[in-house]
Amino acid sequence: MATVGFAVPRLQWATYIGYSLIALLLTQVMVRSSEAPDWSDALYRGLGLFAVGTMWLWLLTPLQLIYSGMPLALSWSVLVGWSVIRLVTRFASARRVSDALLMGATAGYLHIGLTAGLVMSALETIQPGSFEPLNLSGLNDSSVLASSRAFSAINYFAFVCLTTVGFGDINPMLPFSRMVSVATSVAGPLYLAAVMGVLIGRYASNLDQQNQQR
């Protein structure tokens, strides 16, 4: 039992360190070979650093400090929106479908799901009872990181919404949580439609060029 008790906190730390690395790596990748102005790339990098900082501020503060989740929700929402715009723009300007392009498309989809999980978790601290059933009783004096087992269910729910599966084991109960859930359910198919449209169009264009060269 002692081994399990020690392993779970390490897994929680690793999960949120992974969130930080994904955000920072994505911002670095998205400014590489970017055609945007230097000030735009610098602002985008700064937003990534700020988003990671707000996440750790939220993780290390007690649950009773409910408004610590607001900067997280705002910064990560803006970051993922800006990232998706940059990704789709880069896809549209790519001349051929490559492995890097496909990996970028996959990373963008996962980034939307991870961000939705963070925003929903922050919303649960701002408005307790936003998602049910969750067992957060008696955790007000604990930090979010110490009670992250309860929030792992919300991250699972975020990907359920993103993929529009809808198992029904977790439900949004308040207006804001329902709005975020609906927005996530709409964002997933829209992203896939936009990205698949660009990729298929680029692939068809490559085939036409190959046929003309024969």
Side-chain angles (χ1 to χ4, degrees), residues 108-182:
Y109 188 71
L110 294 177
H111 188 53
I112 295 175
L114 294 174
T115 299
L118 281 176
V119 172
M120 290 179 181
S121 299
L123 187 59
E124 177 64 30
T125 61
I126 297 170
Q127 289 186 319
S130 293
F131 301 92
E132 292 185 359
L134 293 175
N135 185 16
L136 296 177
S137 59
L139 296 177
N140 287 339
D141 294 332
S142 302
S143 66
V144 175
L145 185 61
S147 56
S148 59
R149 264 192 246 183
F151 289 97
S152 63
I154 299 181
N155 287 272
Y156 151 79
F157 173 73
F159 277 93
V160 169
C161 290
L162 185 69
T163 55
T164 65
V165 176
F167 290 121
D169 49 347
I170 298 176
N171 297 301
M173 305 304 296
L174 299 179
F176 278 121
S177 60
R178 290 175 177 174
M179 290 172 60
V180 173
S181 301
V182 170

Side-chain angles (χ1 to χ4, degrees), residues 15-63:
T15 299
Y16 289 107
I17 289 174
Y19 272 97
S20 303
L21 292 177
I22 288 173
L24 294 177
L25 287 175
L26 184 64
T27 55
Q28 294 301 315
V29 170
M30 291 308 301
V31 297
R32 189 179 302 167
S33 301
S34 173
E35 297 180 357
D38 292 340
W39 65 266
S40 179
D41 288 341
L43 183 61
Y44 182 72
R45 279 198 181 102
L47 178 61
L49 292 172
F50 179 73
V52 171
T54 59
M55 184 190 74
W56 283 101
L57 174 66
W58 171 73
L59 286 173
L60 299 176
T61 53
L63 285 174

